[in-house]
Amino acid sequence: MRIGYFLSTEEYTPAELLEQARGAERAGFEALWISDHYHPWTDAQGQSPFVWSVIGALSQVCQLPVTTAVTCPTVRIHPAVVAQAAATSAVMHSGRFVLGVGSGEALNEHILGDAWPQTDVRLEMLEEAVEVMRELWRGGFVNHHGKHYTVEHARIYTLPDTPPPVYVSGFGPKAVDLAARIGDGFVNTSPDAELVRRFREGGGGGKPCQAGFKAAYAPSEEEGMRIAYERWPNAGVPGELSQVLPSPRHFEQAAELVRPETMKDAFVCGRDTDAHLAKIEEYAKAGFDEVYVANTGPNWQGLLDLYQREVFPRVR
């Protein structure tokens, strides 16, 4: 199973993200995930650079494949513009770019005053958005008059030799079924074997399945738990709240109901090698082909060193 590093744009500055990418490549990570947000989940995370600028810069500092985890191409940015951004990214990364997409969160997508649709409508919009992008990647002028999007006389001139693959995120049955039907791969964050099975049996076949988990590297599990709770209490917010809450302050309010001990379930806290190996094994047993680990807090270099020194020799 390929092991990659997850760049959290919600928490780190552009310079820090680039330094983490360099360090991840040196440490032996095989690929990168990068989040795409307009807002962080909480003010404690404190960052949210424009992901496409960072992706362009990544092409100049390392050679690792990059996947957006994930971009919402439906509301905040029109799919015709996302298609251009993804095409340029694929060119800059010499084909080592994957466009991971999902139906999004109100946290990022409500900012222009658009209505936030229900789940079924968001998935319908996502399917049409992927259709629009693939049509533009074929080259030539495109006219599209669909239910949700209009494109008139649009052509992307800077195109990669091969269109970027589109991996689709899915956490519920309807989203997983959509991923199986239209995706070149599947994206998730839970070691859920049933979702992988549903994707593969629903049409995904042998297409790549990616997942990610979070860590809080620290001298002890208790310190890691403290850092995780300080930065990412939203990881304990249940159900569909992550899709419908509109601002960091609302996530902070909901997270008041989350107990610090919950972070032990949501994160690998501390620096225990066996804990990281056990988490990776969970995803391997669930059937994922790739897993990406994100660090929270200031000790990301410690996590990179741990993987280089102790994790990779044991999993490889």
Side-chain angles (χ1 to χ4, degrees):
M1 184 170 65
R2 184 158 76 169
I3 300 176
Y5 186 77
F6 189 177
L7 299 169
S8 296
T9 61
E10 305 96 313
E11 189 174 348
Y12 299 104
T13 67
E16 289 171 324
L17 293 168
L18 297 182
E19 186 57 33
Q20 288 183 30
R22 292 188 192 97
E25 186 172 46
R26 288 194 299 266
F29 286 89
E30 298 169 279
L32 297 171
W33 259 15
I34 187 167
S35 52
D36 179 2
H37 274 243
Y38 193 89
H39 295 134
W41 299 97
T42 67
D43 280 356
Q45 292 165 11
Q47 295 291 327
S48 200
F50 188 54
V51 72
W52 299 105
S53 301
V54 180
I55 289 171
L58 287 172
S59 71
Q60 304 303 300
V61 301
C62 73
Q63 298 297 307
L64 295 178
V66 176
T67 300
T68 53
V70 291
T71 288
C72 178
T74 61
V75 178
R76 171 170 46 107
I77 304 180
H78 193 284
V81 179
V82 176
Q84 184 188 28
T88 299
S89 298
V91 170
M92 294 187 73
H93 285 270
S94 301
R96 297 183 302 274
F97 174 77
V98 173
L99 179 63
V101 298
S103 59
E105 303 95 11
L107 174 71
N108 302 303
E109 305 305 319
H110 79 283
I111 60 168
L112 301 179
D114 299 275
W116 185 236
Q118 294 184 345
T119 301
D120 287 350
V121 177
R122 297 202 306 269
L123 292 174
E124 186 180 79
M125 294 172 71
L126 179 61
E127 183 167 7
E128 186 178 340
V130 171
E131 177 187 345
V132 167
M133 292 188 294
R134 284 176 169 156
E135 192 173 0
L136 284 161
W137 292 333
R138 295 187 189 103
F141 284 93
V142 170
N143 291 283
H144 175 93
H145 298 275
K147 182 175 180 179
H148 300 287
Y149 303 107
T150 298
V151 178
E152 291 189 353
H153 305 297
R155 178 182 174 185
I156 297 175
Y157 278 82
T158 300
L159 288 168
D161 294 335
T162 302
V166 178
Y167 290 10
V168 179
S169 171
F171 295 90
K174 292 179 180 179
V176 175
D177 292 345
L178 177 65
R181 189 170 71 253
I182 71 169
D184 299 311
F186 176 54
V187 175
N188 199 275
T189 57
S190 173
D192 191 325
E194 174 57 28
L195 293 181
V196 175
R197 183 199 63 78
R198 188 180 185 106
F199 171 76
R200 297 203 183 284
E201 294 182 359
K207 295 175 182 178
C209 292
Q210 297 183 339
F213 69 89
K214 295 190 182 299
Y217 184 89
S220 67
E221 184 180 38
E222 290 70 24
E223 176 65 8
M225 183 180 72
R226 184 195 66 76
I227 293 171
Y229 186 69
E230 175 187 285
R231 300 289 181 94
W232 288 81
N234 57 287
V237 173
E240 294 184 41
L241 288 177
S242 292
Q243 280 71 54
V244 300
L245 294 179
S247 77
R249 71 173 180 271
H250 293 103
F251 277 95
E252 289 162 4
Q253 292 165 7
E256 290 178 4
L257 302 175
V258 177
R259 299 184 63 82
E261 308 86 70
T262 305
M263 296 299 101
K264 290 185 180 181
D265 298 324
F267 283 72
V268 180
C269 298
R271 59 180 183 182
D272 181 62
T273 302
D274 289 337
H276 283 269
L277 290 167
K279 182 63 70 174
I280 291 168
E281 182 65 14
E282 283 185 47
Y283 287 90
K285 287 183 176 178
F288 286 96
D289 306 293
E290 306 174 25
V291 67
Y292 294 77
V293 56
N295 186 70
T296 187
N299 305 317
W300 54 267
Q301 186 61 56
L303 183 136
L304 298 182
D305 292 342
L306 177 73
Y307 271 68
Q308 182 177 25
R309 185 179 64 251
E310 298 182 32
V311 174
F312 291 145
R314 291 174 62 178
V315 298
R316 293 171 181 165

